[in-house]
Amino acid sequence: MTAIACTDLTRRFGALCAVDAVSLQVGRGEFIALLGPSGCGKTTLLRLLAGFEAPDHGQIVIDGTVVARPGASVPPERRRIGMVFQEHALFPHLDVADNVAYGVPRGVGRAAWVRELLALVGLPECARRMPHQLSGGQQQRVALARALAVRPAAILLDEPFSNLDAGLRAEMRTEVCDILRRAAATACFVTHDQEEALSIADTVAVMRHGRIEQVGTPHEVYTRPASREIARFIGEANLLRGRADGPVAHCALGALPLLVPMHGAVDLMIRPEMIDVHHDDAGVMIEQISFFGHDQLIRLRLADATTVRARTLPRPDLRPGMRVALRVSDPVMAYAAD
Ligand code: ATP
């Protein structure tokens, strides 16, 4: 079942097309990340879904109901959407239980529902605390409980972790993800952080210049990026000029099998962790090693002066100035050369 379906959605601000003919489907219970660089239109797309912006063109269907098309728009409070913002936006004068209950119709079961939600987000003891008495992570969980309280068709999260410090951010990512899965919620979250999108979403929609350029699982968009630009944006990518001949391409690293057969001049996309490094006095020179603890990035210069980066586990046996042979471990993506 589809929870959200946008078709040909367009929003212009004067001459700028912030969202450009976007079509996207989000299944019930799916967790989708809208990933793209600053200014690519992610927030505008989220605001269109929420009803804070109206489209110039196209339509939005939420749970089978058309909520937006040019000239007709259902207001945000009637779209069955829960929102979680960067700044949590809790009501400072209401305690935790009243913040969560806000928007839930009064009646039998309201208090029990709020208790259930506070248990779901791991704050059963905090009902009577005020927002300023909570940590950033706890405020985030209250905001999530409040968004879930209205039993929304979907939850929209706008850069929900960007105000948290690095340690808490990683912890909250998995926690929010667990809560949304336990609640079987459909969720759409905006981020410019590729690691965040890849690590928690079921599906990643990559946006550039107002358009959705690729939709796929985290594994698909990382291993088979639809373009060189997406390859570079999602993680580190070596792009080497080569010549494809069906299932194989020849480049400075030798003959490499291709993921998709091609012919002619190509750019080959090789992730640094796909390159194995072995000692070889007749090989290429290690220029620099950046050590990160869990792994290291090795900069190498090939015979044709191209720079390549390889990622390996920590290897004290490798040092700048040494010569090594390189072997690519997996088939690679190729893009027709310009
Ligand atoms: P960021 O990650 O920096 O928040 P974003 O991908 O969410 O960026 P949007 O906020 O959707 O991008 O903005 C997309 C483009 O539309 C930007 O060029 C922005 O300046 C422009 N824009 C957004 N809102 C308005 C507005 N109300 N009026 C005019 N231009 C706007």
Side-chain angles (χ1 to χ4, degrees):
M1 274 295 285
T2 305
I4 302 174
C6 323
T7 316
D8 220 10
L9 207 56
T10 300
R11 177 70 170 111
R12 291 188 197 87
F13 296 112
L16 177 86
C17 202
V19 172
D20 188 1
V22 161
S23 294
L24 181 69
Q25 301 223 338
V26 186
R28 277 221 186 121
E30 189 175 344
F31 193 2
I32 189 170
L34 295 177
L35 171 68
S38 181
C40 73
K42 310 177 293 287
T43 298
T44 305
L45 177 53
L46 210 68
R47 287 172 58 78
L48 284 164
L49 297 177
F52 300 129
E53 294 282 351
D56 295 305
H57 190 73
Q59 71 164 20
I60 304 170
V61 178
I62 294 177
D63 247 2
T65 304
V66 178
V67 296
R69 56 189 158 80
S73 183
V74 173
E77 65 278 11
R78 289 186 27 226
R79 287 196 179 191
R80 302 193 42 237
I81 288 285
M83 287 288 293
V84 179
F85 301 95
Q86 268 177 37
E87 62 281 6
H88 319 314
L90 299 178
F91 301 115
H93 58 291
L94 296 181
D95 68 18
V96 164
D98 288 343
N99 259 286
V100 175
Y102 192 87
V104 180
R106 285 181 193 283
V108 188
R110 190 181 194 232
W113 177 225
V114 170
R115 274 199 300 278
E116 200 178 313
L117 287 161
L118 288 180
L120 176 78
V121 299
L123 296 172
E125 314 298 331
C126 295
R128 298 274 74 100
R129 286 222 214 144
M130 300 305 283
H132 73 269
Q133 297 172 310
L134 302 175
S135 70
Q138 289 170 328
Q139 290 183 31
Q140 179 74 280
R141 285 187 269 163
V142 175
L144 196 57
R146 188 179 60 181
L148 288 165
V150 295
R151 300 178 202 274
I155 300 253
L156 307 180
L157 305 101
D158 192 358
E159 300 266 5
F161 312 110
S162 60
N163 276 357
L164 305 174
D165 65 51
L168 186 58
R169 192 177 169 137
E171 191 183 316
M172 281 310 292
R173 260 187 214 161
T174 41
E175 202 162 307
V176 164
C177 203
D178 283 349
I179 292 167
L180 290 170
R181 290 201 199 286
R182 279 203 297 275
T186 304
C188 180
F189 86 106
V190 154
T191 181
H192 62 270
D193 180 337
Q194 53 277 23
E195 189 185 294
E196 190 162 288
L198 295 178
S199 61
I200 59 176
D202 300 315
T203 307
V204 178
V206 186
M207 278 191 87
R208 286 181 73 239
H209 307 306
R211 291 182 157 268
I212 290 188
E213 297 202 331
Q214 187 171 8
V215 180
T217 63
H219 190 261
E220 279 163 359
V221 296
Y222 185 76
T223 56
R224 295 180 177 232
S227 65
R228 277 170 282 234
E229 292 71 26
I230 296 177
R232 280 200 207 96
F233 181 64
I234 300 186
E236 194 142 352
N238 294 297
L239 285 159
L240 290 189
R241 193 47 67 90
R243 192 133 204 107
D245 185 12
V248 174
H250 299 268
C251 68
L253 290 180
L256 305 181
L258 296 178
L259 280 167
V260 181
M262 285 189 65
H263 289 276
V266 286
D267 288 326
L268 301 164
M269 196 284 288
I270 305 158
R271 297 285 185 202
E273 64 276 15
M274 292 163 69
I275 302 180
D276 296 332
V277 178
H278 308 276
H279 287 279
D280 184 345
D281 290 340
V284 299
M285 174 90 82
I286 296 181
E287 279 196 338
Q288 191 193 53
I289 298 182
S290 305
F291 180 66
F292 299 114
H294 40 69
D295 60 11
Q296 62 187 17
L297 203 56
I298 305 175
R299 195 176 75 206
L300 304 129
R301 188 160 296 268
L302 305 184
D304 66 357
T306 318
T307 299
V308 160
R309 285 177 172 75
R311 192 181 292 282
T312 69
L313 290 172
R315 296 250 315 253
D317 60 309
L318 298 175
R319 281 184 299 282
M322 283 182 170
R323 291 199 170 264
V324 289
L326 308 179
R327 204 187 126 264
V328 177
S329 58
D330 297 294
V332 301
M333 276 300 283
Y335 307 97
D338 295 329

